[in-house]
Amino acid sequence: MANSRSGETVTERVVRVLETFNADRTVQTAAEIGRRAMLPPSTAHRMVAELVECGLLDRDEEQRVRLGMRLWELALRGSRALRLRQAALPFMERVQARLREHTQLAVLENDETLFIERLSHGRAGANITRIAGRLPLHASSSGLVLLAHGPEELRERILMGRLEAVSPETVTDPKQLRRLLARIRHDGVVVAPGTIETVSTGVAVPVRGGRGEVIAALSVVLPRDTPTGGAVKELRAAAAGISTAIAAQS
């Protein structure tokens, strides 16, 4: 697509507009979108109008803007995340029925943990993750699994970067984190108490694709003092089932 005077393509500007929305900011005005996307007001209003016209954004009677159903429809057509969720859901439901806590499925996306499915029980404990939510790779049980089994260059990039603490118990020392990742690769599981919230323990295992590569992490979030042996057993069985279902899709 043609570049703007600033050298950006139209596609880059559209992505910036869409990225102004998140789980906590679902409705905005065109002016707010322009400010957050760092676009001139006239450009922001024009782009919002065009995206509304093609259905990628919706505008309500008060002229507030939200993501459009057309965007959701397009995102689901044949996406890798959709196929993975379809394969995983029956096994996640089994884990959820037996543990009655939070059961989550996450993938690696742009050096972050992206949660693509979550099942929760009404009386489950604390959990800050949500579908389409992101967390740093070093700061959740799912992220630790994805980081441990990811490419070497990814690990080095994360280890050399800024490791921010999400909770007082988040591992932020590179040497300690490197040892933890090696242990995860060896054990095939991580039990991470207090990594995100001090009252919870995250337990996660890898989900492998047809060639044995890790394509996702399956996790549960338990109250801090809950024994984890049963959860590990359930997660490993579910991860194996998901891998078999994915192989059958090929």
Side-chain angles (χ1 to χ4, degrees):
M1 291 198 177
N3 287 1
S4 67
R5 291 180 181 178
S6 66
E8 288 182 307
T9 66
V10 173
T11 300
E12 288 170 331
R13 289 188 166 198
V14 168
V15 170
R16 285 229 311 274
V17 166
L18 298 177
E19 285 182 337
T20 64
F21 294 89
N22 59 35
D24 297 312
R25 189 193 303 129
T26 59
V27 179
Q28 306 179 81
T29 66
E32 289 169 337
I33 291 171
R35 186 174 66 253
R36 291 176 175 126
M38 295 180 290
L39 295 172
S42 60
T43 302
H45 281 79
R46 185 181 69 252
M47 291 189 67
V48 167
E50 291 173 353
L51 292 170
V52 167
E53 186 176 349
C54 67
L56 299 184
L57 296 177
D58 285 338
R59 200 193 305 264
D60 64 21
E61 294 178 356
E62 298 178 10
Q63 299 302 300
R64 298 176 305 175
V65 181
R66 66 180 71 239
L67 295 176
M69 291 294 290
R70 178 70 170 163
L71 184 63
W72 172 83
E73 177 190 359
L74 293 172
L76 289 182
R77 287 185 183 175
S79 72
R80 179 173 63 93
L82 177 62
R83 294 194 299 273
L84 179 55
R85 287 177 65 232
Q86 288 174 331
L89 264 174
F91 301 96
M92 293 180 67
E93 288 169 350
R94 188 178 305 167
V95 172
Q96 182 65 19
R98 293 176 178 175
L99 299 183
R100 297 188 177 184
E101 293 293 343
H102 303 285
T103 306
Q104 306 172 146
L105 185 68
V107 295
L108 173 67
E109 212 280 321
N110 279 350
D111 288 5
E112 292 181 302
T113 311
L114 174 63
F115 293 89
I116 62 173
E117 187 56 87
R118 190 186 95 167
L119 305 177
S120 296
H121 189 270
R123 292 194 293 272
N127 184 13
I128 68 170
T129 62
R130 26 181 126 174
I131 297 174
R134 292 172 180 260
L135 283 172
L137 285 169
H138 69 286
S140 72
S141 58
S142 294
L144 289 168
V145 163
L146 296 170
L147 184 57
H149 292 278
E152 181 65 27
E153 59 268 25
L154 168 68
R155 282 194 296 279
E156 293 305 316
R157 186 162 61 248
I158 299 300
L159 287 164
M160 295 296 290
R162 185 176 179 183
L163 300 171
E164 295 186 359
V166 177
S167 85
E169 295 177 80
T170 305
V171 178
T172 58
D173 176 75
K175 291 183 180 179
Q176 183 182 354
L177 181 56
R178 192 183 295 275
R179 290 194 296 270
L180 175 59
L181 296 175
R183 190 161 68 247
I184 294 168
R185 287 193 297 275
H186 178 269
D187 296 343
V189 64
V190 61
V191 176
T195 302
I196 296 178
E197 295 185 292
T198 56
V199 297
S200 302
T201 294
V203 184
V205 300
V207 176
R208 297 184 181 274
R211 297 189 296 273
E213 75 283 13
V214 172
I215 59 172
L218 182 65
S219 66
V220 293
V221 179
L222 307 172
R224 179 70 178 246
D225 296 329
T226 302
T228 59
V232 171
K233 181 179 179 181
E234 293 292 343
L235 286 173
R236 282 179 163 155
I242 296 169
S243 296
T244 299
I246 290 170
Q249 290 178 350
S250 303

